[in-house]
C-alpha cells in the first residue's frame, strides 16, 4: 500500500515531501486509511472534517471520532457544521451536490487561511469507475469520461492507484478502526445504486472492469489535453480577472467551433452545467442584464462580455469568534462583544444579551444555525434538552426555527441566541471574567 501510494504521488507529481497537506476525513474506512498512509509516509498534515447536519447523533459521533483521530496523530483539527438541507433547497440541487459544493469551498478557505499547500481526499480506483458510469448515466462532456483527476488545482488524490480490496487489506494489517456510514449501503442514492447493482452486473461481463475503465479514462485524458490546449488559447484571449470578478469577452468566441462546448469548458471552473450554458448561448443575442447561477457563482451578460462573481455561501456554515474579538457578523445579525471583570459587571438579563463565564469557554467559538441533534442545558436546569424540543416548547414559528443561531464552545452549545443561555456557562459567584455578547439585527444600510 505505502509503496503503491508513494509511487503514484511521485509519478503524478502530486506534492513534495515537504508539502503541507489538509486531509479531508469523514471518519469512514477510506479517509482513515488516508490519514494512516500520510502518517507513515511522514507528511506534514492536518485533518479537516465536515458535519453536514444530516444524520443527527451519528454525525456528532463522526465529528468526535475524527477529532480523536487528530489527537492520535497529534495534528491540527479543523471542523465545520453546515446547513446542507437549507442550501440544497435554496439552490434546487441534491443533498449530495450541496454537500460537495459547501465542503470544497470551505476546504479551500481553510487551506488558504492556515497556509497549507494541498487538500488530499481519499478517492480510490473504484471511485473512478463509479464516477465515469455516473457521468455517462447523467450525460457528460469529455471531462466527465476521464474519471477523477489525480490533481486538480490544490486538490490531490494520492490513493487513486489503490482498490477497495487494497484498503480492506491495509486496515486489517494495521488494525485500524473507522466509522461505518449506513447510508453507504442504501441504494436510494445514485452512486450507491451504481456501486451495488450496476457494477456487479458489468463485472460479470468484464471481471477486470476497474482496470479497463482506468485505461479508457487515461486515453480520454490525453484527448482532453488536446482540447484543453485549444480552450486555453481562447481563454487567454477572452478572460480577464479582477479583484472581485472575472470578465469573459465574447468577441474572440464569435467564430469558435462548437460554441456551447467551448463555453462550457471555459465556465467549468465556475461550476456552470451544460444545461445552463445552452440557455446562456441562446440568450447571447438578447439584451444585457440576464443572470445565470451556478452553485458557487453568478454570471451576468453585459453587452459583449460575461461578468462572473463568486456567491457567498458563508450563511450555510459558521462564523468564528476568536478570543479578544469585539464583534462578529453572521447572516442578518451583528454581535458586539465585551470582556469585563466579574466584580465590575452588572448582569443584563435581556434576551438579546448573553453573559457568559469567560473561563468556561474554549476558543475559538462559533456562531452557526442550530441543527438536528443539537442539545444544551437550559439556564436553570441540570438536564440536557434537544434544541428542536426547546423551540417547540417555546412555540417558535416553523419559518423562524431555521433562522435560530447558536453560540458553540468546543461543540457544546453555550447560548441559543436570543432564546436561552446554557446553564454550564452562566455567571456565578466564582466567575472572574465575564464575556458579554449582544445581538443586534443589521440595518438595511449596514
Amino acid at each position: 500500500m505505502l509503496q503503491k501510494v508513494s509511487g503514484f504521488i511521485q509519478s503524478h507529481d502530486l506534492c513534495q515531501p515537504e508539502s503541507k497537506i489538509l486531509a479531508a476525513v469523514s471518519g469512514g474506512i477510506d479517509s482513515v486509511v488516508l490519514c494512516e498512509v500520510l502518517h507513515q509516509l511522514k507528511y506534514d498534515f492536518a485533518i479537516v472534517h465536515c458535519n453536514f447536519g444530516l444524520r443527527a447523533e451519528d454525525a456528532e459521533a463522526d465529528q468526535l471520532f475524527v477529532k480523536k483521530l487528530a489527537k492520535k496523530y497529534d495534528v491540527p483539527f479543523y471542523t465545520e457544521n453546515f446547513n446542507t438541507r437549507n442550501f440544497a433547497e435554496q439552490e434546487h440541487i441534491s443533498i449530495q451536490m450541496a454537500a460537495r459544493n459547501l465542503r470544497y469551498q470551505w476546504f479551500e478557505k481553510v487551506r488558504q487561511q492556515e497556509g497549507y499547500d494541498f487538500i488530499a481526499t481519499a478517492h480510490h480506483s473504484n471511485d473512478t469507475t463509479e464516477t465515469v458510469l455516473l457521468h455517462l448515466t447523467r450525460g457528460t462532456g469529455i471531462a466527465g469520461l476521464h474519471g477523477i483527476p489525480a490533481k486538480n488545482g490544490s486538490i490531490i488524490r494520492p490513493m487513486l492507484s489503490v482498490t477497495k480490496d487494497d484498503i480492506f487489506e491495509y486496515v486489517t494489517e494495521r488494525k485500524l478502526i473507522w466509522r461505518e456510514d449506513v447510508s453507504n449501503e442504501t441504494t436510494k442514492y445514485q452512486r450507491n445504486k451504481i456501486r451495488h447493482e450496476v457494477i456487479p452486473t458489468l463485472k460479470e461481463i468484464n471481471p477486470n472492469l476497474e482496470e479497463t475503465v482506468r485505461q479508457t479514462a487515461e486515453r480520454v485524458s490525453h484527448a482532453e489535453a488536446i482540447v484543453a490546449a485549444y480552450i486555453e488559447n481562447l481563454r487567454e484571449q477572452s478572460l480577464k480577472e479582477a479583484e472581485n470578478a472575472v470578465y469573459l469577452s465574447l468577441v474572440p468566441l464569435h467564430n469558435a467551433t462548437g460554441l456551447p462546448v467551448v463555453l462550457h469548458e471555459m465556465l467549468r471552473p465556475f461550476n456552470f452545467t451544460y444545461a445552463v450554458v445552452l440557455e446562456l448561448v441562446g440568450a447571447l443575442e438578447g439584451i444585457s442584464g440576464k443572470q445565470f447561477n451556478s452553485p458557487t457563482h453568478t454570471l451576468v451578460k453585459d453587452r459583449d462580455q460575461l461578468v462572473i462573481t463568486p456567491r457567498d455561501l458563508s450563511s450555510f456554515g459558521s462564523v468564528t469568534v476568536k478570543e479578544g474579538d469585539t464583534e462578529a457578523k453572521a447572516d442578518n445579525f451583528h454581535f458586539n462583544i465585551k470582556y469585563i471583570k466579574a466584580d465590575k459587571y452588572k448582569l443584563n438579563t435581556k434576551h438579546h444579551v448573553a453573559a457568559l463565564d469567560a473561563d468556561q469557554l474554549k476558543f475559538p467559538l462559533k456562531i452557526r444555525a442550530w441543527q438536528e441533534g443539537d442539545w444544551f442545558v437550559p439556564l436553570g436546569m441540570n438536564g440536557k434538552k434537544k434544541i428542536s424540543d426547546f423551540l417547540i416548547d417555546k412555540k417558535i414559528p416553523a419559518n423562524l426555527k431555521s433562522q435560530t443561531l447558536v453560540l458553540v464552545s468546543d461543540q457544546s452549545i453555550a447560548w441559543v441566541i436570543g432564546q436561552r443561555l446554557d446553564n454550564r456557562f452562566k455567571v456565578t459567584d466564582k466567575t472572574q471574567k465575564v464575556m458579554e455578547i449582544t445581538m443586534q439585527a443589521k440595518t438595511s444600510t449596514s
Side-chain angles (χ1 to χ4, degrees), residues 393-421:
D393 292 346
K394 291 277 290 184
K395 295 182 171 57
I396 304 296
N399 61 333
L400 296 181
K401 286 182 182 178
S402 62
Q403 299 179 27
T404 300
L405 302 176
V406 293
L407 179 70
V408 184
S409 168
D410 191 31
Q411 300 186 45
S412 294
I413 308 296
W415 181 29
V416 180
I417 296 176
Q419 299 294 339
R420 185 78 64 85
L421 195 70

Coordinates of all heavy atoms in Angstrom, one line a residue, residues 393-421:
D393 N -41.3 23.8 22.4 CA -41.9 24.3 23.7 C -42.1 25.8 23.7 O -43.0 26.3 24.4 CB -41.0 23.9 24.9 CG -41.0 22.3 25.1 OD1 -41.9 21.7 24.5 OD2 -40.1 21.8 25.8
K394 N -41.1 26.5 23.1 CA -41.2 28.0 23.1 C -42.2 28.5 22.0 O -42.4 29.7 21.9 CB -39.8 28.5 22.7 CG -38.8 28.3 23.8 CD -38.9 29.4 24.9 CE -38.5 30.8 24.4 NZ -38.5 31.8 25.5
K395 N -42.8 27.5 21.2 CA -43.8 27.9 20.2 C -43.2 28.8 19.2 O -43.8 29.8 18.7 CB -45.0 28.4 20.8 CG -45.8 27.4 21.7 CD -47.1 28.0 22.2 CE -47.9 27.0 22.9 NZ -47.3 26.3 24.0
I396 N -41.9 28.5 18.8 CA -41.3 29.3 17.7 C -41.9 28.9 16.4 O -41.9 27.7 16.1 CB -39.7 29.1 17.7 CG1 -39.1 29.4 19.1 CG2 -39.1 29.9 16.6 CD1 -39.2 30.8 19.5
P397 N -42.4 29.9 15.6 CA -43.0 29.5 14.3 C -42.0 28.8 13.4 O -40.8 29.0 13.5 CB -43.3 30.9 13.7 CG -43.4 31.8 14.9 CD -42.4 31.3 15.9
A398 N -42.5 27.8 12.6 CA -41.7 27.0 11.8 C -40.7 27.7 10.9 O -39.6 27.4 10.7 CB -42.6 26.0 11.0
N399 N -41.2 28.9 10.3 CA -40.4 29.6 9.4 C -39.3 30.4 10.1 O -38.4 30.9 9.4 CB -41.2 30.5 8.5 CG -42.0 31.6 9.3 OD1 -42.3 31.3 10.5 ND2 -42.3 32.7 8.7
L400 N -39.4 30.5 11.4 CA -38.3 31.2 12.2 C -37.3 30.2 12.8 O -36.2 30.6 13.2 CB -38.9 32.1 13.2 CG -39.8 33.2 12.7 CD1 -40.3 34.0 13.9 CD2 -39.0 34.1 11.8
K401 N -37.7 28.9 12.9 CA -36.8 27.9 13.5 C -35.5 27.9 12.8 O -34.4 27.8 13.4 CB -37.5 26.6 13.6 CG -38.6 26.4 14.6 CD -39.1 25.0 14.6 CE -40.3 24.9 15.6 NZ -40.9 23.5 15.5
S402 N -35.6 27.8 11.5 CA -34.3 27.7 10.7 C -33.4 28.9 10.8 O -32.2 28.8 10.5 CB -34.7 27.5 9.2 OG -35.3 28.6 8.7
Q403 N -33.9 30.0 11.3 CA -33.1 31.2 11.5 C -32.5 31.3 12.9 O -31.7 32.2 13.2 CB -33.9 32.4 11.2 CG -34.5 32.5 9.8 CD -35.4 33.7 9.6 OE1 -35.2 34.8 10.3 NE2 -36.4 33.6 8.7
T404 N -32.8 30.3 13.7 CA -32.2 30.3 15.1 C -30.7 30.0 15.1 O -30.3 29.0 14.5 CB -33.0 29.3 16.0 OG1 -34.4 29.7 16.1 CG2 -32.4 29.3 17.4
L405 N -29.9 30.8 15.7 CA -28.5 30.6 15.7 C -28.1 30.1 17.1 O -28.8 30.3 18.1 CB -27.8 31.9 15.4 CG -28.1 32.6 14.1 CD1 -27.3 33.9 14.0 CD2 -27.7 31.7 12.9
V406 N -26.9 29.5 17.2 CA -26.4 29.1 18.5 C -24.9 29.5 18.5 O -24.2 29.6 17.5 CB -26.5 27.5 18.6 CG1 -27.9 27.1 18.7 CG2 -25.8 26.8 17.5
L407 N -24.5 29.7 19.8 CA -23.0 30.0 20.0 C -22.4 28.7 20.6 O -22.9 28.1 21.5 CB -22.9 31.1 21.1 CG -21.5 31.5 21.5 CD1 -20.8 32.2 20.3 CD2 -21.5 32.4 22.7
V408 N -21.4 28.3 19.9 CA -20.8 27.0 20.2 C -19.4 27.1 20.8 O -18.5 27.8 20.3 CB -20.7 26.1 19.0 CG1 -20.2 24.7 19.3 CG2 -22.1 26.0 18.3
S409 N -19.1 26.4 21.9 CA -17.8 26.3 22.5 C -17.4 24.9 22.5 O -17.9 24.1 23.3 CB -17.9 26.9 24.0 OG -16.7 26.6 24.7
D410 N -16.4 24.6 21.7 CA -15.9 23.2 21.6 C -17.0 22.2 21.5 O -17.0 21.2 22.2 CB -15.0 22.9 22.8 CG -14.2 21.6 22.6 OD1 -13.8 21.3 21.5 OD2 -13.9 20.9 23.6
Q411 N -17.9 22.4 20.5 CA -19.0 21.5 20.2 C -20.1 21.5 21.3 O -21.1 20.7 21.2 CB -18.5 20.1 20.0 CG -17.6 20.0 18.8 CD -17.2 18.6 18.4 OE1 -18.1 17.7 18.3 NE2 -15.9 18.3 18.2
S412 N -20.0 22.3 22.3 CA -21.1 22.5 23.3 C -21.8 23.8 23.0 O -21.2 24.8 22.8 CB -20.5 22.5 24.7 OG -19.9 21.3 25.1
I413 N -23.2 23.7 23.1 CA -24.0 24.9 22.9 C -23.9 25.8 24.1 O -24.3 25.4 25.2 CB -25.4 24.6 22.6 CG1 -25.5 23.6 21.4 CG2 -26.2 25.8 22.2 CD1 -25.0 24.0 20.1
A414 N -23.4 27.0 24.0 CA -23.3 27.9 25.1 C -24.5 28.9 25.2 O -24.8 29.3 26.3 CB -22.0 28.7 25.1
W415 N -25.1 29.1 24.1 CA -26.2 30.1 24.0 C -27.1 29.8 22.8 O -26.6 29.7 21.7 CB -25.7 31.5 24.0 CG -26.7 32.6 24.0 CD1 -28.0 32.6 24.5 CD2 -26.6 33.9 23.4 NE1 -28.6 33.8 24.4 CE2 -27.8 34.6 23.7 CE3 -25.6 34.6 22.7 CZ2 -28.0 35.9 23.2 CZ3 -25.8 35.9 22.3 CH2 -27.0 36.5 22.6
V416 N -28.4 29.5 23.0 CA -29.3 29.5 21.9 C -29.7 31.0 21.7 O -30.4 31.6 22.5 CB -30.6 28.7 22.2 CG1 -31.5 28.7 21.1 CG2 -30.2 27.2 22.6
I417 N -29.1 31.6 20.7 CA -29.0 33.0 20.6 C -30.4 33.7 20.6 O -31.2 33.3 19.8 CB -28.2 33.4 19.4 CG1 -26.7 33.0 19.6 CG2 -28.2 35.0 19.2 CD1 -25.8 33.2 18.4
G418 N -30.6 34.6 21.5 CA -31.9 35.3 21.6 C -32.9 34.5 22.3 O -34.1 35.0 22.5
Q419 N -32.6 33.3 22.8 CA -33.6 32.5 23.5 C -33.2 32.1 24.9 O -33.9 32.5 25.9 CB -33.8 31.2 22.7 CG -34.3 31.5 21.2 CD -35.7 32.1 21.2 OE1 -36.5 31.9 22.2 NE2 -36.1 32.7 20.1
R420 N -32.1 31.4 25.1 CA -31.8 30.9 26.4 C -30.3 30.5 26.5 O -29.7 29.9 25.6 CB -32.6 29.6 26.7 CG -32.4 29.1 28.2 CD -33.2 29.9 29.2 NE -34.6 29.8 28.9 CZ -35.4 28.8 29.4 NH1 -34.9 27.8 30.1 NH2 -36.7 28.8 29.1
L421 N -29.7 30.9 27.6 CA -28.3 30.6 27.9 C -28.2 29.1 28.4 O -29.1 28.6 28.9 CB -27.8 31.5 29.0 CG -26.3 31.6 29.2 CD1 -25.6 32.3 28.1 CD2 -26.0 32.3 30.5

